[in-house]
Amino acid sequence: MPELRHNILTNQWVIIATERAKRPEEFGKKNKEGKVIPSFVQTCPFCPGNEKLTPPETFVVPGPKGWQVRVTPNKFAALSYQGERKRFIQGIRRTITGVGIHEVMIETPDHSKTTALLADSEVTTVLKTYLDRFAFASADSRVAQVVIFKNHGEAAGTSLEHPHSQLIGTPVITSQLRERLIGSLRHYDEYGECIFCRLLEVELKEEARLVCQTPHFVSLVQYAALTPFSMLIMPRRHMACYSEINDAELADLAHNLRVTLAKLYHGLNNPDFNYVVRTAPIENRGVKYYHWYISIIPRLTRTAGFELGSGMFINVSLPEEDAKFLRGIKVD
Ligand SMILES: [Zn+2]
Ligand SMILES: [Zn+2]
């Protein structure tokens, strides 16, 4: 019989379709096995030598090929850098001017690389860049929320192959983040504990869904994963905001993220995925009720009408088997 599991972080129900469940390795069958990606592509706007194809950079980490990480405003920005944030209310309609920040963070000069194939030190540089740009965007008085994310592959919504992440600072705080902040605050008030610290404690005790443990971080498949192999990377130390991370933790996160993604890369033939840094806004630094983390969502199945119509998901894999499979994939 299928089982319905409740995702305590997103407040969504998931049907774990045990009878329709596929073996973990089946999810890798249709992926990019054997595809050879060159290190340099003449027409790629993110490859070294093509810097003039992007807007002028806002942040650079120098490297042997001129730069190691390069940040520029998105040429096709979703929001405008210029202008004031203004709110209009007319009847039942609310409108806000589309101002904000939209940056692209080019993670390496090498076109053929992906996080799984970088050195830990290179991933550390990328994560440090997130810190800098998060602080920059958060300091803009028009910005209410900053989202850092990565789209890898077409099914994850990217058209550019060159490894990059993005940051969008929006002039409003979204209902998704607000509801999660309120939900975790309510849990804190009722139970006197951080819901995320508690979740991590339960997962560490049960062990069945753990993927990679490092001194400061734990990656795991969610108990009520909405989709196959949907994972979290959680800091062991309670921190509400990504900006609270220290240098030792940053280096450790780089290693954990790289190993976790390398398990996906080698285990499932480089699947498309998104990851998102889910953090409290900078003004909520230090609060006891929220706990930042990274969510990794491999794009192995499609979201269809039922999910759209209900907000409920059907997961055709078993989270415990997904985790066991990934633990068994050995990477350096
Ligand atoms: Zn490129
Ligand atoms: Zn916590």
Side-chain angles (χ1 to χ4, degrees):
M1 191 192 294
E3 181 175 66
L4 269 71
R5 293 187 182 181
H6 181 248
N7 188 312
I8 202 165
L9 301 184
T10 67
N11 195 19
Q12 280 170 299
W13 284 98
V14 186
I15 300 172
I16 305 290
T18 42
E19 271 136 59
R20 290 163 61 185
K22 293 197 212 171
R23 300 286 313 143
E25 58 273 18
E26 286 180 60
F27 289 98
K29 274 189 184 152
K30 279 193 262 168
N31 294 326
K32 303 173 190 79
E33 200 171 17
K35 189 184 174 192
V36 179
I37 301 171
S39 286
F40 174 79
V41 173
Q42 192 65 56
T43 54
C44 171
F46 297 165
C47 272
N50 292 342
E51 288 80 4
K52 60 189 175 304
L53 297 177
T54 66
E57 60 222 20
T58 50
F59 181 86
V60 168
V61 179
K65 289 186 177 173
W67 50 267
Q68 179 58 37
V69 168
R70 187 168 176 268
V71 181
T72 87
N74 192 314
K75 197 173 183 177
F76 309 101
L79 294 162
S80 167
Y81 279 74
Q82 263 77 51
E84 279 175 63
R85 178 173 64 176
K86 283 191 197 142
R87 190 182 278 261
F88 305 94
I89 299 176
Q90 200 173 35
I92 58 164
R93 299 222 166 110
R94 286 176 294 168
T95 315
I96 299 181
T97 48
V99 292
I101 289 175
H102 189 171
E103 288 190 324
V104 175
M105 300 177 272
I106 307 162
E107 297 168 12
T108 162
D110 188 332
H111 188 98
S112 68
K113 291 282 173 71
T114 175
T115 316
L117 305 175
L118 293 175
D120 283 354
S121 61
E122 292 172 319
V123 182
T124 304
T125 305
V126 173
L127 296 176
K128 270 191 185 156
T129 303
Y130 290 179
L131 261 190
D132 184 280
R133 305 323 291 162
F134 183 77
F136 167 80
S138 299
D140 190 313
S141 61
R142 303 168 304 167
V143 168
Q145 182 176 343
V146 179
V147 184
I148 296 170
F149 60 98
K150 180 174 170 71
N151 304 334
H152 173 80
E154 269 174 54
T158 190
S159 47
L160 279 163
E161 197 175 49
H162 197 114
H164 66 284
S165 337
Q166 297 182 63
L167 174 151
I168 299 186
T170 59
V172 286
I173 187 157
T174 60
S175 58
Q176 187 198 67
L177 177 60
R178 185 65 84 197
E179 275 158 24
R180 288 180 189 190
L181 289 168
I182 291 170
S184 56
L185 176 59
R186 189 175 300 129
H187 183 94
Y188 185 81
D189 285 343
E190 285 170 8
Y191 299 94
E193 64 183 15
C194 163
I195 192 172
F196 304 88
C197 284
R198 180 90 169 100
L199 185 150
L200 186 57
E201 190 186 305
V202 170
E203 293 295 345
L204 286 170
K205 197 172 158 210
E206 289 183 5
E207 294 182 342
R209 286 166 297 276
L210 301 179
V211 175
C212 174
Q213 291 195 66
T214 52
H216 300 289
F217 286 85
V218 178
S219 69
L220 56 98
V221 177
Q222 294 200 68
Y223 165 75
L226 302 182
T227 53
F229 294 90
S230 192
M231 284 184 276
L232 306 177
I233 301 184
M234 300 183 74
R236 292 179 192 259
R237 178 169 76 88
H238 177 83
M239 291 182 260
C241 178
Y242 181 62
S243 68
E244 293 174 59
I245 195 170
N246 65 36
D247 284 348
E249 288 164 339
L250 206 68
D252 188 60
L253 174 60
H255 178 65
N256 195 309
L257 178 64
R258 205 259 307 154
V259 169
T260 302
L261 291 175
K263 284 172 178 282
L264 277 181
Y265 182 92
H266 296 295
L268 299 177
N269 292 319
N270 188 15
D272 293 349
F273 67 85
N274 299 101
Y275 73 62
V276 186
V277 180
R278 296 201 174 274
T279 173
I282 214 157
E283 65 265 25
N284 293 84
R285 263 174 79 103
V287 298
K288 294 189 170 81
Y289 59 88
Y290 194 78
H291 191 125
W292 76 269
Y293 60 96
I294 291 177
S295 55
I296 301 172
I297 306 106
R299 306 302 291 253
L300 300 162
T301 51
R302 275 171 201 249
T303 305
F306 175 68
E307 284 83 357
L308 290 175
S310 64
M312 189 188 281
F313 278 69
I314 301 172
N315 184 343
V316 289
S317 74
L318 296 174
E320 294 73 22
E321 284 196 12
D322 292 350
K324 190 178 168 199
F325 172 78
L326 291 177
R327 280 199 302 274
I329 305 292
K330 297 290 174 227
V331 299
D332 298 336

